Amino acid sequence: MLKERSQSFKLLFLSTDLIIALLSFSIAYTIRYFLLPDSFFQIQIIDPISYLILGIVLSISQVLCFLTIDLYHPRRGLSFTDEFFAIISGVVLNLLVVLALLFFFRGESFSRLVIVYFAGSAILLTSLSHFVLRLLLEYLRSKGYNLKSVLILGTSKSAFGFEETLKKHSIYGYKVNGFVSGKKTLEKNNIQIVTSIKQLEDYIQKNNVDLLVYAFSHEEGDYLKEVIDIADFHGVDLKIIPSYEEIVTAKGRVEVLDGIPIISIRNIPLRLGYNQVIKRSFDILFSLSFILIFSPFFLVIAILIKLTSKGPIFYTQERVGLDNKVFGMIKFRSMVVQEKSKSDTLWTVKDDPRVTKIGTILRKLSLDETPQFFNVLKGDMSVVGPRPERPFYVEKFRNEHNEYMRRHAAKAGITGWAQVQGFRGDTSIQKRIEADIFYIENWSFFLDIKIILLTPFKAIIDRNAY
């Protein structure tokens, strides 16, 4: 149902963004060639037709990039800040795509300032237009425009959760009339029960009801056949929330194969092909750039390690990654050389005597982990993902925490959602698991960008990084 209405709003925002992108390019072109003094920029103006084509390409690819990062998903817009950063990541992705195309298909030499001004204008105007559109739609809903009345059948946890979801997405225009009780009413404060299942048909006849949502639990009784007959007889739309919804708490996905509905209990966006291509492409570009830029620092760190302690510069340790596969994670050596049995089974503690002097600094700034970008290039790791653990501790934690192995549904990362939330080093394993599962089930390109931007502030310099 949200999907039905979200398609209309998706088309509205998509069309608006296309117009905004064209307007942004027009503003950029005007500023560059008509408002800036010619004395500052002695560059011959390219044929306007060429710029018109560039503007159209930029505008269309901008909307495609917004679709790629899932900007128009119903969950967007709940926070203006989150949407603003999503728009920034979409514009940056668009710039990377277009600049790459211009590099490989060289023709005209376009002004870089036009593209820079376009990016700035697109970010500001798109954010403003989304904000205004949402305010306008909320205002129309508050005035009762195109509202649909909803009656929720059941008083289960799923029923209340569905009501909260509709409140979050009030922009779509669904108003809950109340709840319908079964043979047993589950306790909840301030619940608005408008009728019972026995009086449901009378209530529908006397009140305007556009949508019935069946959310009875097993405890409340099975009335599905009866409700379907009532909905069909009165021509009222009916949606069903499965009664096992409270048992299966992970985000799921429903697929239809030849008319047969198949429910995937655990929805993992990174299993989808195009998402894998996006993430892998970004990993390669980001890790290559990082290695090239910081290669002089790698050399300095290598020399310092060699001068201050005996042993190799790099240290490879077995870690468990995607689909429970073991790989060798590369790090700068920050400890004295020790037996493999000890390094694989001993947990690092505060003021650990095994850490060298230079190792203390490397660990404090997380510089010992920077060689892992070579693991990213190899494909063993990703820039963002759950931190990999040693096989010894994987076996230990899987027996202590039931959902621990779900962390391995995505590639291990150099940084991750758990790290920027402060769950690293000697912190709660359960909190780390919850954060990693949240990341896996809610992955988006925007979320990766957000984590990368937060990492220098919340993960690199951290008191828990022993």
Side-chain angles (χ1 to χ4, degrees):
M1 54 182 283
L2 281 179
K3 185 176 181 180
E4 294 166 3
R5 286 214 163 185
S6 70
Q7 292 299 318
S8 300
F9 292 106
K10 185 175 184 178
L11 183 60
L12 172 62
F13 280 93
L14 191 149
S15 302
T16 302
D17 289 346
L18 181 60
I19 295 171
I20 289 295
L22 290 168
L23 177 61
S24 298
F25 188 83
S26 301
I27 292 173
Y29 183 83
T30 301
I31 293 175
R32 169 62 186 84
Y33 288 113
F34 294 99
L35 298 183
L36 291 178
D38 288 338
S39 58
F40 292 156
F41 304 96
Q42 298 295 334
I43 302 176
Q44 184 180 359
I45 299 179
I46 300 172
D47 180 8
I49 300 299
S50 299
Y51 268 109
L52 177 61
I53 295 173
L54 176 63
I56 293 173
V57 171
L58 271 172
S59 301
I60 294 174
S61 63
Q62 183 61 81
V63 173
L64 292 176
C65 286
F66 284 155
L67 287 170
T68 300
I69 66 170
D70 208 12
L71 179 66
Y72 306 112
H73 191 280
R75 70 175 177 268
R76 299 293 189 216
L78 302 184
S79 166
F80 175 77
T81 303
D82 283 347
E83 188 168 34
F84 179 70
F85 279 110
I87 290 170
I88 291 176
S89 64
V91 172
V92 171
L93 178 62
N94 183 35
L95 290 182
L96 292 174
V97 171
V98 173
L99 289 174
L101 289 174
L102 291 176
F103 177 80
F104 287 107
F105 301 98
R106 294 183 179 181
E108 303 285 1
S109 180
F110 295 101
S111 170
R112 296 174 184 174
L113 283 176
V114 171
I115 297 177
V116 171
Y117 292 151
F118 165 78
S121 300
I123 291 171
L124 293 176
L125 293 179
T126 304
S127 301
L128 180 62
S129 66
H130 280 214
F131 180 72
V132 172
L133 269 177
R134 292 184 189 282
L135 283 181
L136 177 61
L137 290 170
E138 290 287 359
Y139 173 76
L140 292 175
R141 296 307 183 202
S142 68
K143 295 298 181 181
Y145 176 75
N146 199 23
L147 280 176
K148 283 189 175 291
S149 58
V150 180
L151 192 61
I152 301 178
L153 282 61
T155 57
S156 63
K157 182 180 177 181
S158 297
F160 299 131
F162 183 75
E163 181 195 28
E164 290 300 317
T165 298
L166 291 186
K167 287 180 179 178
K168 284 182 186 177
H169 300 288
S170 59
I171 190 174
Y172 294 126
Y174 289 99
K175 181 182 178 182
V176 177
N177 286 6
F179 295 85
V180 176
S181 62
K183 68 180 181 182
K184 178 181 180 180
T185 302
L186 304 182
E187 294 183 6
K188 182 176 172 67
N189 296 330
N190 302 321
I191 179 174
Q192 184 184 359
I193 297 178
V194 294
T195 188
S196 66
I197 187 64
K198 293 181 180 180
Q199 304 298 322
L200 175 62
E201 196 163 7
D202 290 337
Y203 183 88
I204 292 175
Q205 290 174 338
K206 296 176 183 177
N207 297 273
N208 177 39
V209 178
D210 297 306
L211 175 66
L212 294 175
V213 177
Y214 187 94
F216 281 119
S217 65
H218 291 296
E219 298 173 81
E220 296 174 286
D222 184 5
Y223 309 100
L224 184 56
K225 179 64 171 63
E226 179 183 345
V227 171
I228 290 175
D229 290 340
I230 292 173
D232 287 343
F233 182 78
H234 292 279
V236 180
D237 194 13
L238 172 65
K239 305 293 182 183
I240 301 172
I241 298 177
S243 57
Y244 49 78
E245 176 72 14
E246 295 182 27
I247 302 173
V248 182
T249 56
K251 289 192 174 182
R253 183 177 74 252
V254 179
E255 302 170 272
V256 178
L257 181 63
D258 288 339
I260 302 173
I262 302 171
I263 299 177
S264 298
I265 295 178
R266 315 214 183 279
N267 182 30
I268 304 175
L270 281 171
R271 296 290 192 187
L272 300 177
Y274 66 89
N275 285 342
Q276 290 181 348
V277 171
I278 291 170
K279 190 168 178 65
R280 182 60 184 148
S281 299
F282 177 78
D283 283 343
I284 292 172
L285 289 173
F286 191 92
S287 55
L288 268 177
S289 301
F290 186 93
I291 291 170
L292 290 174
I293 293 171
F294 286 89
S295 54
F297 296 97
F298 284 4
L299 180 60
V300 172
I301 292 172
I303 294 172
L304 290 174
I305 292 173
K306 204 64 180 174
L307 292 176
T308 55
S309 63
K310 295 180 180 180
I313 295 170
F314 296 103
Y315 172 67
T316 302
Q317 189 176 60
E318 287 187 346
R319 297 288 176 118
V320 180
L322 177 65
D323 295 331
N324 308 325
K325 293 179 181 178
V326 177
F327 69 95
M329 190 178 75
I330 309 168
K331 300 177 72 172
F332 278 123
R333 184 175 59 82
S334 59
M335 289 187 173
V336 295
V337 177
Q338 52 191 309
E339 294 179 10
K340 185 177 184 296
S341 59
K342 291 183 178 180
S343 64
D344 287 349
T345 59
L346 292 180
W347 196 265
T348 307
V349 296
K350 191 174 183 179
D351 299 324
D352 197 315
R354 296 173 297 166
V355 179
T356 63
K357 291 181 180 180
I358 189 65
T360 302
I361 299 173
L362 295 178
R363 283 173 168 266
K364 191 66 178 177
L365 299 177
S366 295
L367 293 176
D368 60 320
E369 297 177 355
T370 51
Q372 289 164 34
F373 283 102
F374 290 102
N375 285 117
V376 176
L377 277 181
K378 287 175 59 182
D380 294 329
M381 295 178 66
S382 177
V383 176
V384 182
R387 285 295 294 164
E389 193 48 79
R390 287 163 283 182
F392 173 84
Y393 284 103
V394 168
E395 288 300 317
K396 180 177 185 294
F397 294 147
R398 74 185 301 178
N399 293 320
E400 297 174 353
H401 303 274
N402 190 49
E403 297 182 326
Y404 183 81
M405 297 306 288
R406 287 174 57 189
R407 300 172 69 254
H408 301 125
K411 279 186 182 180
I414 295 176
T415 184
W417 184 244
Q419 281 66 46
V420 299
Q421 296 297 308
F423 304 127
R424 61 185 310 219
D426 191 14
T427 55
S428 169
I429 300 298
Q430 185 59 40
K431 292 292 184 182
R432 272 193 248 179
I433 296 171
E434 292 171 3
D436 288 334
I437 292 174
F438 171 85
Y439 169 79
I440 291 169
E441 294 183 349
N442 294 274
W443 178 88
S444 68
F445 181 73
F446 159 66
L447 181 58
D448 274 2
I449 297 297
K450 182 178 180 179
I451 291 171
I452 290 170
L453 293 176
L454 288 174
T455 296
F457 303 101
K458 294 193 174 183
I460 289 182
I461 302 175
D462 192 290
R463 292 180 180 179
N464 293 316
Y466 302 143

